[in-house]
Amino acid sequence: MDKIWDVIIIGGGPAGLSAAIYCGRAMRKTLVLEKKVFGGQIVLADIIENYPGFAEPIVPADLMDQMSKQCQRYGVVLENDEATALRREGQGWRIDVYQETLEAKAIIYAAGSLHRFLEVKGEKELLGRGVSVCATCDAPFFTQRKVAVIGGGDTALVEALHLAKFASRVSVIHRRDQFRAERILQKRVFQNDKIETIWDSLVLGFQGERKLEALEVHNKKTGRIDILPFEGAFLAIGTIPNTALLRDIVELDVNGYVVADLSLATGQPGLYVAGELIRGNRRQVAIAVGMGVQAALGCEDYLATLD
Amino acid sequence: MAEILSANDLNFESFIQTERMVIVDFWAPTCAPCRLMEPGLEQVASNHEGSVRILKVNVNESPKTSSRYYVRTLPTLLFIKEGEVRTQIVGAVNPQQIEKTLSEVG
């Protein structure tokens, strides 16, 4: 891999790849680093129905594959590697990756977020053995079995609807007495005979020897704790921003989100941010795409001052 | 040619009885992260030609093998040596993470 770049984009999800398309078209030597798989977390969803321009539902992995190819068409290099440190040195930036250090005039940080876990007993041990964060990947394992979805947002209800195609019963366990998901998703969930809701409830633990067997569920209103048998449990309780590398460089809020205005500049020369790690951001592909473009245009203005 | 073999319930046991480290990739055609992880696995296979064997197990076609190892999430990578599971990685990872795990258990 070349060591010196005009722009290095950290994160290969919708924000990072959208930024890369614009950097590539600005004829900047651009590298995108992605530590997992190109496409970001959206590839875990089975369909997208609200991305403007597509009247029919689209498969996220296909959409993201097109974005990757669009980047490559404009000379952007996509590299599967993890940025482990970021620092300003001289007039540019240094990024440590797996086995070397890279240099760039500008950085667009679009590293997205990580799955939030409940951090209760049994969760870590049973992850991959019944506890899951991806219904699209794992639903077939639970054909004609009872599963739970934990959460109340868009992701939780999309997962529940997908699981209902396989499982005998899907229980959505939510800590409040109403969902915050899109109304169209709520309507589908309420109309689906296979899906039930368990309101006002917290999961206190996951039980099972070698695979998940039951959930310990606490009803906040009645105070009652039940051990409910489930073979699968899908976590959809939100995310935490992947901003560890920015901690000493830019302003973060108490939850670790970057505080940024519409310019997506950070106050550090040549460092821009995009995507769901920004405070107040709603997790939507369309928003991430727009932010990626905005950051790339700001980045290009900055690079033009160096030319 | 790097060694990536397709295994199933019938031949799985014979494939893991080797002195080499075996990485078993449990996947399914409907699993997008599995598909996106493939180039990384190919890269690992070519880095360790002759010393590491990579087995791909389609869980839809080989339910016994996935049940045997309690696999419930895709992708799951098992690292097996002399027939015994040394460690596993649950979820999609990049080739560097596979390399790091190989160096730890190899």
Side-chain angles (χ1 to χ4, degrees), chain A residues 35-38 43-44 61 80-81 98 128-130 137-138 141-142 210, chain B residues 32-33 35-36 59 69-74 88 90 92 94-97 99:
Chain A
K35 73 171 180 176
K36 286 194 171 175
V37 291
F38 280 94
V43 301
L44 300 181
N80 229 188
D81 209 334
Y98 180 55
R129 295 177 181 272
C137 310
D138 306 337
F141 288 118
F142 303 97
R210 305 195 68 172
Chain B
R35 216 161 57 232
L36 295 166
V59 296
Y69 293 104
Y70 301 97
V71 172
R72 287 281 185 280
T73 283
L74 299 182
Q88 65 171 10
V90 174
N94 67 33
Q96 286 78 26
Q97 284 165 292
E99 292 286 357

PDB file of all heavy atoms in Angstrom, chain A residues 35-38 43-44 61 80-81 98 128-130 137-138 141-142 210, chain B residues 32-33 35-36 59 69-74 88 90 92 94-97 99:
ATOM      1  N   LYS A  35     -12.185  -1.403   8.696  1.00  0.00           N
ATOM      2  CA  LYS A  35     -11.634  -2.472   9.543  1.00  0.00           C
ATOM      3  C   LYS A  35     -12.428  -3.768   9.454  1.00  0.00           C
ATOM      4  O   LYS A  35     -11.916  -4.828   9.778  1.00  0.00           O
ATOM      5  CB  LYS A  35     -11.505  -2.008  10.989  1.00  0.00           C
ATOM      6  CG  LYS A  35     -12.786  -1.872  11.747  1.00  0.00           C
ATOM      7  CD  LYS A  35     -12.483  -1.620  13.221  1.00  0.00           C
ATOM      8  CE  LYS A  35     -13.753  -1.487  14.017  1.00  0.00           C
ATOM      9  NZ  LYS A  35     -13.520  -1.346  15.442  1.00  0.00           N
ATOM     10  N   LYS A  36     -13.679  -3.689   9.052  1.00  0.00           N
ATOM     11  CA  LYS A  36     -14.464  -4.928   8.929  1.00  0.00           C
ATOM     12  C   LYS A  36     -14.793  -5.193   7.463  1.00  0.00           C
ATOM     13  O   LYS A  36     -13.925  -5.577   6.704  1.00  0.00           O
ATOM     14  CB  LYS A  36     -15.714  -4.845   9.797  1.00  0.00           C
ATOM     15  CG  LYS A  36     -15.380  -4.992  11.278  1.00  0.00           C
ATOM     16  CD  LYS A  36     -16.608  -5.244  12.101  1.00  0.00           C
ATOM     17  CE  LYS A  36     -16.192  -5.613  13.522  1.00  0.00           C
ATOM     18  NZ  LYS A  36     -17.341  -5.747  14.404  1.00  0.00           N
ATOM     19  N   VAL A  37     -16.036  -4.961   7.082  1.00  0.00           N
ATOM     20  CA  VAL A  37     -16.371  -5.177   5.676  1.00  0.00           C
ATOM     21  C   VAL A  37     -16.896  -3.882   5.074  1.00  0.00           C
ATOM     22  O   VAL A  37     -17.601  -3.124   5.743  1.00  0.00           O
ATOM     23  CB  VAL A  37     -17.417  -6.305   5.490  1.00  0.00           C
ATOM     24  CG1 VAL A  37     -16.827  -7.647   5.837  1.00  0.00           C
ATOM     25  CG2 VAL A  37     -18.673  -6.041   6.280  1.00  0.00           C
ATOM     26  N   PHE A  38     -16.525  -3.615   3.813  1.00  0.00           N
ATOM     27  CA  PHE A  38     -16.993  -2.398   3.159  1.00  0.00           C
ATOM     28  C   PHE A  38     -18.514  -2.430   3.054  1.00  0.00           C
ATOM     29  O   PHE A  38     -19.107  -3.454   2.729  1.00  0.00           O
ATOM     30  CB  PHE A  38     -16.337  -2.242   1.788  1.00  0.00           C
ATOM     31  CG  PHE A  38     -14.949  -1.693   1.899  1.00  0.00           C
ATOM     32  CD1 PHE A  38     -13.852  -2.538   1.952  1.00  0.00           C
ATOM     33  CD2 PHE A  38     -14.750  -0.331   2.027  1.00  0.00           C
ATOM     34  CE1 PHE A  38     -12.578  -2.032   2.113  1.00  0.00           C
ATOM     35  CE2 PHE A  38     -13.473   0.196   2.184  1.00  0.00           C
ATOM     36  CZ  PHE A  38     -12.390  -0.659   2.222  1.00  0.00           C
ATOM     37  N   VAL A  43     -25.221  -3.232   5.918  1.00  0.00           N
ATOM     38  CA  VAL A  43     -25.267  -4.519   5.203  1.00  0.00           C
ATOM     39  C   VAL A  43     -25.865  -5.626   6.076  1.00  0.00           C
ATOM     40  O   VAL A  43     -26.202  -6.694   5.582  1.00  0.00           O
ATOM     41  CB  VAL A  43     -23.893  -4.972   4.636  1.00  0.00           C
ATOM     42  CG1 VAL A  43     -23.345  -3.934   3.670  1.00  0.00           C
ATOM     43  CG2 VAL A  43     -22.910  -5.279   5.731  1.00  0.00           C
ATOM     44  N   LEU A  44     -26.013  -5.367   7.367  1.00  0.00           N
ATOM     45  CA  LEU A  44     -26.646  -6.358   8.236  1.00  0.00           C
ATOM     46  C   LEU A  44     -28.171  -6.358   8.073  1.00  0.00           C
ATOM     47  O   LEU A  44     -28.847  -7.281   8.512  1.00  0.00           O
ATOM     48  CB  LEU A  44     -26.295  -6.098   9.709  1.00  0.00           C
ATOM     49  CG  LEU A  44     -24.812  -6.141  10.076  1.00  0.00           C
ATOM     50  CD1 LEU A  44     -24.639  -5.901  11.565  1.00  0.00           C
ATOM     51  CD2 LEU A  44     -24.181  -7.470   9.685  1.00  0.00           C
ATOM     52  N   ALA A  61     -26.589  -4.732   0.810  1.00  0.00           N
ATOM     53  CA  ALA A  61     -25.259  -5.173   0.353  1.00  0.00           C
ATOM     54  C   ALA A  61     -25.060  -4.813  -1.129  1.00  0.00           C
ATOM     55  O   ALA A  61     -23.949  -4.466  -1.543  1.00  0.00           O
ATOM     56  CB  ALA A  61     -25.088  -6.674   0.566  1.00  0.00           C
ATOM     57  N   ASN A  80      -8.728  -2.953   3.289  1.00  0.00           N
ATOM     58  CA  ASN A  80      -9.227  -3.576   4.512  1.00  0.00           C
ATOM     59  C   ASN A  80      -8.147  -3.504   5.578  1.00  0.00           C
ATOM     60  O   ASN A  80      -7.267  -4.347   5.628  1.00  0.00           O
ATOM     61  CB  ASN A  80      -9.551  -5.036   4.204  1.00  0.00           C
ATOM     62  CG  ASN A  80     -10.911  -5.450   4.693  1.00  0.00           C
ATOM     63  OD1 ASN A  80     -11.234  -6.607   4.639  1.00  0.00           O
ATOM     64  ND2 ASN A  80     -11.741  -4.546   5.154  1.00  0.00           N
ATOM     65  N   ASP A  81      -8.183  -2.479   6.389  1.00  0.00           N
ATOM     66  CA  ASP A  81      -7.168  -2.343   7.426  1.00  0.00           C
ATOM     67  C   ASP A  81      -7.735  -1.458   8.534  1.00  0.00           C
ATOM     68  O   ASP A  81      -8.669  -0.698   8.304  1.00  0.00           O
ATOM     69  CB  ASP A  81      -5.881  -1.717   6.860  1.00  0.00           C
ATOM     70  CG  ASP A  81      -4.645  -2.165   7.614  1.00  0.00           C
ATOM     71  OD1 ASP A  81      -4.764  -2.521   8.803  1.00  0.00           O
ATOM     72  OD2 ASP A  81      -3.557  -2.150   7.016  1.00  0.00           O
ATOM     73  N   TYR A  98      -2.299  -1.561  10.635  1.00  0.00           N
ATOM     74  CA  TYR A  98      -1.827  -2.833  11.176  1.00  0.00           C
ATOM     75  C   TYR A  98      -0.311  -2.942  11.239  1.00  0.00           C
ATOM     76  O   TYR A  98       0.264  -3.238  12.280  1.00  0.00           O
ATOM     77  CB  TYR A  98      -2.430  -3.968  10.346  1.00  0.00           C
ATOM     78  CG  TYR A  98      -2.035  -5.355  10.776  1.00  0.00           C
ATOM     79  CD1 TYR A  98      -2.233  -5.790  12.082  1.00  0.00           C
ATOM     80  CD2 TYR A  98      -1.489  -6.244   9.860  1.00  0.00           C
ATOM     81  CE1 TYR A  98      -1.885  -7.061  12.466  1.00  0.00           C
ATOM     82  CE2 TYR A  98      -1.148  -7.527  10.229  1.00  0.00           C
ATOM     83  CZ  TYR A  98      -1.335  -7.933  11.534  1.00  0.00           C
ATOM     84  OH  TYR A  98      -0.995  -9.199  11.905  1.00  0.00           O
ATOM     85  N   GLY A 128     -23.201 -15.340  19.634  1.00  0.00           N
ATOM     86  CA  GLY A 128     -22.872 -16.329  18.608  1.00  0.00           C
ATOM     87  C   GLY A 128     -23.427 -17.704  18.919  1.00  0.00           C
ATOM     88  O   GLY A 128     -23.325 -18.630  18.123  1.00  0.00           O
ATOM     89  N   ARG A 129     -24.015 -17.856  20.076  1.00  0.00           N
ATOM     90  CA  ARG A 129     -24.630 -19.134  20.463  1.00  0.00           C
ATOM     91  C   ARG A 129     -26.094 -18.902  20.852  1.00  0.00           C
ATOM     92  O   ARG A 129     -26.608 -19.490  21.786  1.00  0.00           O
ATOM     93  CB  ARG A 129     -23.862 -19.765  21.617  1.00  0.00           C
ATOM     94  CG  ARG A 129     -22.445 -20.150  21.213  1.00  0.00           C
ATOM     95  CD  ARG A 129     -21.658 -20.719  22.362  1.00  0.00           C
ATOM     96  NE  ARG A 129     -20.310 -21.052  21.938  1.00  0.00           N
ATOM     97  CZ  ARG A 129     -19.945 -22.225  21.414  1.00  0.00           C
ATOM     98  NH1 ARG A 129     -20.824 -23.176  21.265  1.00  0.00           N
ATOM     99  NH2 ARG A 129     -18.699 -22.437  21.059  1.00  0.00           N
ATOM    100  N   GLY A 130     -26.714 -17.994  20.135  1.00  0.00           N
ATOM    101  CA  GLY A 130     -28.119 -17.669  20.389  1.00  0.00           C
ATOM    102  C   GLY A 130     -28.316 -16.176  20.561  1.00  0.00           C
ATOM    103  O   GLY A 130     -29.337 -15.630  20.186  1.00  0.00           O
ATOM    104  N   CYS A 137     -28.443 -12.294   9.065  1.00  0.00           N
ATOM    105  CA  CYS A 137     -27.414 -13.333   9.003  1.00  0.00           C
ATOM    106  C   CYS A 137     -27.921 -14.624   9.651  1.00  0.00           C
ATOM    107  O   CYS A 137     -27.660 -15.715   9.159  1.00  0.00           O
ATOM    108  CB  CYS A 137     -26.156 -12.899   9.747  1.00  0.00           C
ATOM    109  SG  CYS A 137     -25.548 -11.274   9.325  1.00  0.00           S
ATOM    110  N   ASP A 138     -28.608 -14.500  10.771  1.00  0.00           N
ATOM    111  CA  ASP A 138     -28.806 -15.661  11.642  1.00  0.00           C
ATOM    112  C   ASP A 138     -30.219 -16.205  11.721  1.00  0.00           C
ATOM    113  O   ASP A 138     -30.436 -17.253  12.344  1.00  0.00           O
ATOM    114  CB  ASP A 138     -28.330 -15.299  13.068  1.00  0.00           C
ATOM    115  CG  ASP A 138     -26.898 -14.787  13.062  1.00  0.00           C
ATOM    116  OD1 ASP A 138     -26.178 -15.123  12.115  1.00  0.00           O
ATOM    117  OD2 ASP A 138     -26.521 -14.068  13.986  1.00  0.00           O
ATOM    118  N   PHE A 141     -31.244 -20.011  11.444  1.00  0.00           N
ATOM    119  CA  PHE A 141     -30.950 -20.937  12.547  1.00  0.00           C
ATOM    120  C   PHE A 141     -32.153 -21.114  13.471  1.00  0.00           C
ATOM    121  O   PHE A 141     -32.204 -22.048  14.252  1.00  0.00           O
ATOM    122  CB  PHE A 141     -29.790 -20.414  13.411  1.00  0.00           C
ATOM    123  CG  PHE A 141     -28.445 -20.505  12.746  1.00  0.00           C
ATOM    124  CD1 PHE A 141     -27.710 -19.366  12.485  1.00  0.00           C
ATOM    125  CD2 PHE A 141     -27.904 -21.730  12.397  1.00  0.00           C
ATOM    126  CE1 PHE A 141     -26.471 -19.441  11.884  1.00  0.00           C
ATOM    127  CE2 PHE A 141     -26.662 -21.825  11.796  1.00  0.00           C
ATOM    128  CZ  PHE A 141     -25.948 -20.671  11.538  1.00  0.00           C
ATOM    129  N   PHE A 142     -33.083 -20.175  13.404  1.00  0.00           N
ATOM    130  CA  PHE A 142     -34.182 -20.181  14.378  1.00  0.00           C
ATOM    131  C   PHE A 142     -35.533 -20.505  13.732  1.00  0.00           C
ATOM    132  O   PHE A 142     -36.569 -20.081  14.212  1.00  0.00           O
ATOM    133  CB  PHE A 142     -34.201 -18.841  15.122  1.00  0.00           C
ATOM    134  CG  PHE A 142     -32.898 -18.562  15.802  1.00  0.00           C
ATOM    135  CD1 PHE A 142     -31.938 -17.768  15.202  1.00  0.00           C
ATOM    136  CD2 PHE A 142     -32.594 -19.174  17.009  1.00  0.00           C
ATOM    137  CE1 PHE A 142     -30.707 -17.558  15.798  1.00  0.00           C
ATOM    138  CE2 PHE A 142     -31.365 -18.974  17.622  1.00  0.00           C
ATOM    139  CZ  PHE A 142     -30.422 -18.167  17.019  1.00  0.00           C
ATOM    140  N   ARG A 210     -24.449 -24.323  26.701  1.00  0.00           N
ATOM    141  CA  ARG A 210     -23.620 -24.153  25.512  1.00  0.00           C
ATOM    142  C   ARG A 210     -24.314 -23.317  24.450  1.00  0.00           C
ATOM    143  O   ARG A 210     -23.715 -22.921  23.462  1.00  0.00           O
ATOM    144  CB  ARG A 210     -23.227 -25.510  24.953  1.00  0.00           C
ATOM    145  CG  ARG A 210     -22.551 -26.372  26.007  1.00  0.00           C
ATOM    146  CD  ARG A 210     -21.849 -27.518  25.400  1.00  0.00           C
ATOM    147  NE  ARG A 210     -20.698 -27.075  24.631  1.00  0.00           N
ATOM    148  CZ  ARG A 210     -19.809 -27.899  24.111  1.00  0.00           C
ATOM    149  NH1 ARG A 210     -19.942 -29.187  24.295  1.00  0.00           N
ATOM    150  NH2 ARG A 210     -18.803 -27.447  23.407  1.00  0.00           N
TER     151      ARG A 210
ATOM    152  N   ALA B  32     -24.936 -11.349   3.989  1.00  0.00           N
ATOM    153  CA  ALA B  32     -24.138 -10.357   3.256  1.00  0.00           C
ATOM    154  C   ALA B  32     -22.736 -10.183   3.846  1.00  0.00           C
ATOM    155  O   ALA B  32     -21.755 -10.152   3.091  1.00  0.00           O
ATOM    156  CB  ALA B  32     -24.867  -9.023   3.213  1.00  0.00           C
ATOM    157  N   PRO B  33     -22.584 -10.074   5.169  1.00  0.00           N
ATOM    158  CA  PRO B  33     -21.224  -9.935   5.706  1.00  0.00           C
ATOM    159  C   PRO B  33     -20.317 -11.116   5.331  1.00  0.00           C
ATOM    160  O   PRO B  33     -19.115 -10.944   5.135  1.00  0.00           O
ATOM    161  CB  PRO B  33     -21.447  -9.869   7.225  1.00  0.00           C
ATOM    162  CG  PRO B  33     -22.843  -9.408   7.391  1.00  0.00           C
ATOM    163  CD  PRO B  33     -23.605  -9.981   6.226  1.00  0.00           C
ATOM    164  N   ARG B  35     -20.365 -12.780   2.558  1.00  0.00           N
ATOM    165  CA  ARG B  35     -19.953 -12.562   1.175  1.00  0.00           C
ATOM    166  C   ARG B  35     -18.847 -11.500   1.117  1.00  0.00           C
ATOM    167  O   ARG B  35     -17.857 -11.636   0.407  1.00  0.00           O
ATOM    168  CB  ARG B  35     -21.174 -12.086   0.398  1.00  0.00           C
ATOM    169  CG  ARG B  35     -21.249 -12.591  -1.001  1.00  0.00           C
ATOM    170  CD  ARG B  35     -22.653 -12.495  -1.574  1.00  0.00           C
ATOM    171  NE  ARG B  35     -23.249 -11.192  -1.587  1.00  0.00           N
ATOM    172  CZ  ARG B  35     -24.456 -10.923  -1.073  1.00  0.00           C
ATOM    173  NH1 ARG B  35     -25.146 -11.863  -0.498  1.00  0.00           N
ATOM    174  NH2 ARG B  35     -24.957  -9.710  -1.147  1.00  0.00           N
ATOM    175  N   LEU B  36     -19.041 -10.446   1.924  1.00  0.00           N
ATOM    176  CA  LEU B  36     -18.096  -9.335   1.891  1.00  0.00           C
ATOM    177  C   LEU B  36     -16.752  -9.709   2.521  1.00  0.00           C
ATOM    178  O   LEU B  36     -15.743  -9.063   2.276  1.00  0.00           O
ATOM    179  CB  LEU B  36     -18.694  -8.118   2.605  1.00  0.00           C
ATOM    180  CG  LEU B  36     -19.933  -7.528   1.915  1.00  0.00           C
ATOM    181  CD1 LEU B  36     -20.664  -6.557   2.830  1.00  0.00           C
ATOM    182  CD2 LEU B  36     -19.543  -6.819   0.628  1.00  0.00           C
ATOM    183  N   VAL B  59     -24.060 -23.412   6.025  1.00  0.00           N
ATOM    184  CA  VAL B  59     -24.858 -23.953   7.139  1.00  0.00           C
ATOM    185  C   VAL B  59     -26.225 -24.480   6.675  1.00  0.00           C
ATOM    186  O   VAL B  59     -26.801 -25.353   7.311  1.00  0.00           O
ATOM    187  CB  VAL B  59     -25.060 -22.908   8.267  1.00  0.00           C
ATOM    188  CG1 VAL B  59     -23.737 -22.530   8.892  1.00  0.00           C
ATOM    189  CG2 VAL B  59     -25.800 -21.688   7.765  1.00  0.00           C
ATOM    190  N   TYR B  69     -20.980 -27.607  16.527  1.00  0.00           N
ATOM    191  CA  TYR B  69     -20.159 -26.559  17.145  1.00  0.00           C
ATOM    192  C   TYR B  69     -21.012 -25.410  17.705  1.00  0.00           C
ATOM    193  O   TYR B  69     -20.487 -24.354  18.028  1.00  0.00           O
ATOM    194  CB  TYR B  69     -19.153 -26.028  16.115  1.00  0.00           C
ATOM    195  CG  TYR B  69     -18.124 -27.066  15.739  1.00  0.00           C
ATOM    196  CD1 TYR B  69     -18.202 -27.739  14.524  1.00  0.00           C
ATOM    197  CD2 TYR B  69     -17.096 -27.394  16.611  1.00  0.00           C
ATOM    198  CE1 TYR B  69     -17.280 -28.713  14.187  1.00  0.00           C
ATOM    199  CE2 TYR B  69     -16.163 -28.365  16.276  1.00  0.00           C
ATOM    200  CZ  TYR B  69     -16.262 -29.022  15.062  1.00  0.00           C
ATOM    201  OH  TYR B  69     -15.341 -29.980  14.733  1.00  0.00           O
ATOM    202  N   TYR B  70     -22.306 -25.639  17.823  1.00  0.00           N
ATOM    203  CA  TYR B  70     -23.246 -24.647  18.385  1.00  0.00           C
ATOM    204  C   TYR B  70     -23.169 -23.304  17.654  1.00  0.00           C
ATOM    205  O   TYR B  70     -23.283 -22.234  18.261  1.00  0.00           O
ATOM    206  CB  TYR B  70     -22.996 -24.449  19.885  1.00  0.00           C
ATOM    207  CG  TYR B  70     -23.151 -25.723  20.664  1.00  0.00           C
ATOM    208  CD1 TYR B  70     -22.037 -26.497  21.001  1.00  0.00           C
ATOM    209  CD2 TYR B  70     -24.417 -26.199  21.033  1.00  0.00           C
ATOM    210  CE1 TYR B  70     -22.177 -27.691  21.685  1.00  0.00           C
ATOM    211  CE2 TYR B  70     -24.565 -27.397  21.718  1.00  0.00           C
ATOM    212  CZ  TYR B  70     -23.437 -28.135  22.042  1.00  0.00           C
ATOM    213  OH  TYR B  70     -23.583 -29.309  22.710  1.00  0.00           O
ATOM    214  N   VAL B  71     -22.951 -23.341  16.358  1.00  0.00           N
ATOM    215  CA  VAL B  71     -22.882 -22.093  15.594  1.00  0.00           C
ATOM    216  C   VAL B  71     -24.299 -21.541  15.425  1.00  0.00           C
ATOM    217  O   VAL B  71     -25.195 -22.228  14.946  1.00  0.00           O
ATOM    218  CB  VAL B  71     -22.231 -22.333  14.206  1.00  0.00           C
ATOM    219  CG1 VAL B  71     -22.339 -21.086  13.337  1.00  0.00           C
ATOM    220  CG2 VAL B  71     -20.775 -22.742  14.371  1.00  0.00           C
ATOM    221  N   ARG B  72     -24.491 -20.296  15.829  1.00  0.00           N
ATOM    222  CA  ARG B  72     -25.795 -19.651  15.721  1.00  0.00           C
ATOM    223  C   ARG B  72     -25.683 -18.256  15.116  1.00  0.00           C
ATOM    224  O   ARG B  72     -26.650 -17.517  15.086  1.00  0.00           O
ATOM    225  CB  ARG B  72     -26.441 -19.528  17.108  1.00  0.00           C
ATOM    226  CG  ARG B  72     -26.962 -20.825  17.694  1.00  0.00           C
ATOM    227  CD  ARG B  72     -28.313 -21.184  17.077  1.00  0.00           C
ATOM    228  NE  ARG B  72     -28.898 -22.347  17.686  1.00  0.00           N
ATOM    229  CZ  ARG B  72     -28.572 -23.604  17.403  1.00  0.00           C
ATOM    230  NH1 ARG B  72     -27.632 -23.826  16.503  1.00  0.00           N
ATOM    231  NH2 ARG B  72     -29.171 -24.607  18.003  1.00  0.00           N
ATOM    232  N   THR B  73     -24.473 -17.875  14.723  1.00  0.00           N
ATOM    233  CA  THR B  73     -24.263 -16.560  14.115  1.00  0.00           C
ATOM    234  C   THR B  73     -23.358 -16.703  12.895  1.00  0.00           C
ATOM    235  O   THR B  73     -22.396 -17.472  12.923  1.00  0.00           O
ATOM    236  CB  THR B  73     -23.616 -15.585  15.130  1.00  0.00           C
ATOM    237  OG1 THR B  73     -24.618 -15.147  16.049  1.00  0.00           O
ATOM    238  CG2 THR B  73     -23.061 -14.354  14.452  1.00  0.00           C
ATOM    239  N   LEU B  74     -23.690 -15.955  11.859  1.00  0.00           N
ATOM    240  CA  LEU B  74     -22.863 -15.943  10.657  1.00  0.00           C
ATOM    241  C   LEU B  74     -22.307 -14.543  10.427  1.00  0.00           C
ATOM    242  O   LEU B  74     -23.010 -13.579  10.670  1.00  0.00           O
ATOM    243  CB  LEU B  74     -23.695 -16.346   9.437  1.00  0.00           C
ATOM    244  CG  LEU B  74     -24.299 -17.740   9.470  1.00  0.00           C
ATOM    245  CD1 LEU B  74     -25.057 -18.014   8.184  1.00  0.00           C
ATOM    246  CD2 LEU B  74     -23.240 -18.807   9.701  1.00  0.00           C
ATOM    247  N   GLN B  88     -12.456 -19.128  18.373  1.00  0.00           N
ATOM    248  CA  GLN B  88     -13.404 -18.787  17.324  1.00  0.00           C
ATOM    249  C   GLN B  88     -13.552 -17.271  17.221  1.00  0.00           C
ATOM    250  O   GLN B  88     -13.265 -16.540  18.166  1.00  0.00           O
ATOM    251  CB  GLN B  88     -14.773 -19.412  17.591  1.00  0.00           C
ATOM    252  CG  GLN B  88     -15.471 -18.882  18.821  1.00  0.00           C
ATOM    253  CD  GLN B  88     -16.916 -19.372  18.934  1.00  0.00           C
ATOM    254  OE1 GLN B  88     -17.348 -20.241  18.201  1.00  0.00           O
ATOM    255  NE2 GLN B  88     -17.648 -18.798  19.861  1.00  0.00           N
ATOM    256  N   VAL B  90     -16.559 -14.585  16.078  1.00  0.00           N
ATOM    257  CA  VAL B  90     -17.964 -14.450  15.704  1.00  0.00           C
ATOM    258  C   VAL B  90     -18.155 -13.091  15.034  1.00  0.00           C
ATOM    259  O   VAL B  90     -17.756 -12.071  15.580  1.00  0.00           O
ATOM    260  CB  VAL B  90     -18.869 -14.560  16.953  1.00  0.00           C
ATOM    261  CG1 VAL B  90     -20.317 -14.269  16.600  1.00  0.00           C
ATOM    262  CG2 VAL B  90     -18.753 -15.951  17.563  1.00  0.00           C
ATOM    263  N   ALA B  92     -18.185 -10.635  11.201  1.00  0.00           N
ATOM    264  CA  ALA B  92     -17.241 -10.342  10.121  1.00  0.00           C
ATOM    265  C   ALA B  92     -16.005  -9.626  10.638  1.00  0.00           C
ATOM    266  O   ALA B  92     -16.098  -8.757  11.500  1.00  0.00           O
ATOM    267  CB  ALA B  92     -17.922  -9.474   9.066  1.00  0.00           C
ATOM    268  N   ASN B  94     -11.673  -8.382   9.442  1.00  0.00           N
ATOM    269  CA  ASN B  94     -10.769  -8.165   8.311  1.00  0.00           C
ATOM    270  C   ASN B  94      -9.626  -9.181   8.361  1.00  0.00           C
ATOM    271  O   ASN B  94      -9.429  -9.861   9.369  1.00  0.00           O
ATOM    272  CB  ASN B  94     -10.273  -6.710   8.295  1.00  0.00           C
ATOM    273  CG  ASN B  94      -9.389  -6.394   9.486  1.00  0.00           C
ATOM    274  OD1 ASN B  94      -8.658  -7.247   9.974  1.00  0.00           O
ATOM    275  ND2 ASN B  94      -9.462  -5.174   9.969  1.00  0.00           N
ATOM    276  N   PRO B  95      -8.863  -9.298   7.269  1.00  0.00           N
ATOM    277  CA  PRO B  95      -7.798 -10.311   7.238  1.00  0.00           C
ATOM    278  C   PRO B  95      -6.742 -10.127   8.316  1.00  0.00           C
ATOM    279  O   PRO B  95      -6.174 -11.108   8.803  1.00  0.00           O
ATOM    280  CB  PRO B  95      -7.198 -10.157   5.833  1.00  0.00           C
ATOM    281  CG  PRO B  95      -7.825  -8.975   5.214  1.00  0.00           C
ATOM    282  CD  PRO B  95      -9.064  -8.643   5.969  1.00  0.00           C
ATOM    283  N   GLN B  96      -6.509  -8.850   8.710  1.00  0.00           N
ATOM    284  CA  GLN B  96      -5.500  -8.625   9.760  1.00  0.00           C
ATOM    285  C   GLN B  96      -5.927  -9.278  11.076  1.00  0.00           C
ATOM    286  O   GLN B  96      -5.095  -9.813  11.808  1.00  0.00           O
ATOM    287  CB  GLN B  96      -5.274  -7.127   9.985  1.00  0.00           C
ATOM    288  CG  GLN B  96      -4.487  -6.438   8.889  1.00  0.00           C
ATOM    289  CD  GLN B  96      -5.337  -6.148   7.668  1.00  0.00           C
ATOM    290  OE1 GLN B  96      -6.549  -6.009   7.769  1.00  0.00           O
ATOM    291  NE2 GLN B  96      -4.712  -6.073   6.517  1.00  0.00           N
ATOM    292  N   GLN B  97      -7.223  -9.214  11.348  1.00  0.00           N
ATOM    293  CA  GLN B  97      -7.699  -9.826  12.601  1.00  0.00           C
ATOM    294  C   GLN B  97      -7.582 -11.355  12.539  1.00  0.00           C
ATOM    295  O   GLN B  97      -7.299 -12.002  13.538  1.00  0.00           O
ATOM    296  CB  GLN B  97      -9.135  -9.395  12.883  1.00  0.00           C
ATOM    297  CG  GLN B  97      -9.198  -7.971  13.405  1.00  0.00           C
ATOM    298  CD  GLN B  97     -10.598  -7.405  13.356  1.00  0.00           C
ATOM    299  OE1 GLN B  97     -11.152  -7.172  12.292  1.00  0.00           O
ATOM    300  NE2 GLN B  97     -11.189  -7.197  14.514  1.00  0.00           N
ATOM    301  N   GLU B  99      -5.281 -12.906  10.780  1.00  0.00           N
ATOM    302  CA  GLU B  99      -3.832 -13.143  10.907  1.00  0.00           C
ATOM    303  C   GLU B  99      -3.395 -13.081  12.375  1.00  0.00           C
ATOM    304  O   GLU B  99      -2.612 -13.896  12.836  1.00  0.00           O
ATOM    305  CB  GLU B  99      -3.049 -12.088  10.114  1.00  0.00           C
ATOM    306  CG  GLU B  99      -3.187 -12.179   8.605  1.00  0.00           C
ATOM    307  CD  GLU B  99      -2.408 -13.344   8.007  1.00  0.00           C
ATOM    308  OE1 GLU B  99      -1.717 -14.054   8.754  1.00  0.00           O
ATOM    309  OE2 GLU B  99      -2.521 -13.557   6.784  1.00  0.00           O
TER     310      GLU B  99
END
